[in-house]
Amino acid sequence: MPSQRPERSTTKRGSATRSRLTSRDIALAAGVSQATVSNVLNRPEIVAPETLKRVNDVIESMNFVVNDSARTLRAGHSRALGVIALDLSNPFWGEVTRGIEATASQLGYSVLLGSSEEKLDKETRLLRLFEENRVEGILVSSVDIGSETLATLYEHGMKVVLLDQPDPAGTYSSVSLDQVQGARLAAQHLLEQGHRRIAFINIPHSVSWSRDRLQGLSEGIAAAGLDPAEVITEITIESMTAHAAEPAVETLLAGSPDVTAVLCANDMVALGVLKQLSERGVTVPRDLSVVGFDDSYFASMLSPALTTVRQHPFELGQTAAEMIIKATDGVVPESVLFDPELIVRQSVRNLTSAAG
């Protein structure tokens, strides 16, 4: 009896016939079942290491490419994650997405990436786009946690993890920094250096962490026996960019001459503040002290080197990706909170020693 040949779909180009490999071909070559090949492609964590290596070696040697469209139709979703960052021009979000991609790639997932640019309408369009592409889950730093679109996707079975923001209602899983403690650390440091009038350049309170940081700043000041209302001057900007610092600095210098230190929403804003102060002849830290938030890669390269609150964006992204990939239906949402760290450099003046 002639031996059976594996079934293949064929395409013709000119006189040559080319065969398209299937999982059956891989199974035959590796000496395993098609179910095992399917597990290697879709659930590698349950396959024995030796078998996993043997099948993957065959896949690589035969240049096998998975038909992802067919797999998506069978599973109802793709092996892809949707990521929505607030602002991809911010190095913080670059590190978060790098961490997500590193873990996703290791676990066999691809990443679709978008930036809301802090606009709810754009976030909504991205959420719908990711739904159309049948991503397995969405990691999002939401402009509005109460978004109806996000809630509807979640109710329909979409896995969701919030990035860099907790969910007070406990509906969604989240990975974030303890923002309250981060701002509290900044407040404690500034007070220890003798500062009693502090400007806080913040974004609108619709973003949860902006409220959390104001809370932490206020708590740190109150713990020192001072009235936060007398110490803090809050200046609101519309975006967390260096360009947004210009009107904030103008407002600060024109209306708050007694302020001796500035806490910025992030390091990008702090970068803009340093530039604007320099152009106006204000020397940091001699005339005004500046503190950032994030500890971006450039913070130590500035002149003066920036004192800032360090987040852990790469680890945050890794944790979020692992959380959403391993999430299963019916599991209670979990929240992971990273501890902040104050990085003291040269942008804060010690007024206590100066007075002495």
Side-chain angles (χ1 to χ4, degrees):
M1 177 182 291
S3 59
Q4 291 185 339
R5 296 173 61 87
E7 295 179 1
R8 301 186 182 186
S9 60
T10 61
T11 57
K12 292 186 177 181
R13 181 177 296 171
S15 59
T17 300
R18 302 169 62 218
S19 299
R20 181 176 298 156
L21 290 171
T22 68
S23 61
R24 183 179 179 185
D25 299 321
I26 301 302
L28 289 172
V32 299
S33 67
Q34 274 187 274
T36 298
V37 174
S38 177
N39 284 335
V40 168
L41 296 173
N42 299 293
R43 303 172 64 196
E45 67 278 3
I46 70 171
V47 182
E50 291 183 3
T51 303
L52 183 65
K53 183 179 186 307
R54 182 165 76 252
V55 174
N56 278 328
D57 286 346
V58 170
I59 288 173
E60 184 175 355
S61 66
M62 297 179 71
N63 295 318
F64 176 66
V65 178
V66 177
N67 185 337
D68 200 55
S69 297
R71 182 166 65 182
T72 298
L73 287 174
R74 288 194 301 271
H77 57 75
S78 66
R79 288 181 68 83
L81 304 175
V83 178
I84 304 177
L86 283 177
D87 179 11
L88 286 174
S89 67
N90 185 336
F92 171 82
W93 288 110
E95 281 297 289
V96 171
T97 55
R98 200 169 67 86
I100 292 171
E101 202 281 328
T103 295
S105 177
Q106 187 177 29
L107 296 176
Y109 284 74
S110 58
V111 173
L112 304 180
L113 180 60
S115 175
S116 68
E117 298 176 354
E118 304 172 39
K119 297 180 175 65
L120 182 58
D121 60 340
K122 188 169 184 183
E123 176 186 312
T124 299
R125 290 197 299 272
L126 287 168
L127 288 171
R128 289 171 177 162
L129 178 64
F130 290 158
E131 181 185 26
E132 292 170 4
N133 282 273
R134 298 188 179 186
V135 297
E136 183 169 322
I138 295 175
L139 303 102
V140 54
S141 183
S142 183
V143 177
D144 178 11
I145 297 177
S147 160
E148 290 186 12
T149 304
L150 187 63
T152 300
L153 288 178
Y154 184 73
E155 290 167 3
H156 289 173
M158 178 68 72
K159 295 192 287 186
V160 174
V161 170
L162 298 178
L163 294 171
D164 199 37
Q165 56 187 164
D167 178 13
T171 302
Y172 308 114
S173 293
S174 64
V175 182
S176 59
L177 181 83
D178 188 339
Q179 306 284 355
V180 174
Q181 176 62 8
R184 191 185 293 123
L185 289 174
Q188 290 170 351
H189 177 64
L190 290 172
L191 293 175
E192 288 170 359
Q193 302 305 304
H195 296 275
R196 295 295 182 267
R197 295 291 183 271
I198 302 169
F200 181 27
I201 300 180
N202 198 10
I203 61 171
H205 293 176
S206 56
V207 178
S208 62
W209 62 251
S210 70
R211 300 191 301 271
D212 292 340
R213 292 183 188 176
L214 179 60
Q215 177 185 336
L217 184 61
S218 300
E219 288 180 1
I221 292 167
L226 302 173
D227 183 356
E230 294 182 359
V231 176
I232 302 171
T233 298
E234 187 175 17
I235 301 172
T236 302
I237 56 177
E238 293 304 316
S239 64
M240 297 180 292
T241 63
H243 294 297
E246 182 173 358
V249 169
E250 289 178 355
T251 299
L252 171 64
L253 296 181
S256 305
D258 57 343
V259 163
T260 61
V262 182
L263 174 61
C264 299
N266 65 9
D267 289 347
M268 290 295 289
V269 173
L271 174 63
V273 167
L274 290 173
K275 178 178 181 295
Q276 294 300 324
L277 291 175
S278 176
E279 291 179 354
R280 289 163 172 77
V282 179
T283 302
V284 176
R286 186 192 67 193
D287 302 326
L288 195 63
S289 295
V290 177
V291 177
F293 215 106
D294 286 348
D295 194 28
S296 300
Y297 72 90
F298 60 79
S300 63
M301 306 176 194
L302 297 173
S303 181
L306 184 66
T307 291
T308 184
V309 177
R310 175 178 289 169
Q311 301 202 62
H312 302 275
F314 185 82
E315 293 81 1
L316 188 152
Q318 287 183 307
T319 302
E322 184 175 351
M323 180 186 292
I324 201 166
I325 289 171
K326 294 184 177 180
T328 56
D329 293 337
V331 174
V332 176
E334 60 177 313
S335 175
V336 174
L337 206 60
F338 282 86
D339 291 325
E341 180 183 358
L342 181 70
I343 305 301
V344 178
R345 296 194 177 101
Q346 288 82 47
S347 62
V348 174
R349 182 184 181 187
N350 188 332
L351 297 182
T352 302
S353 62

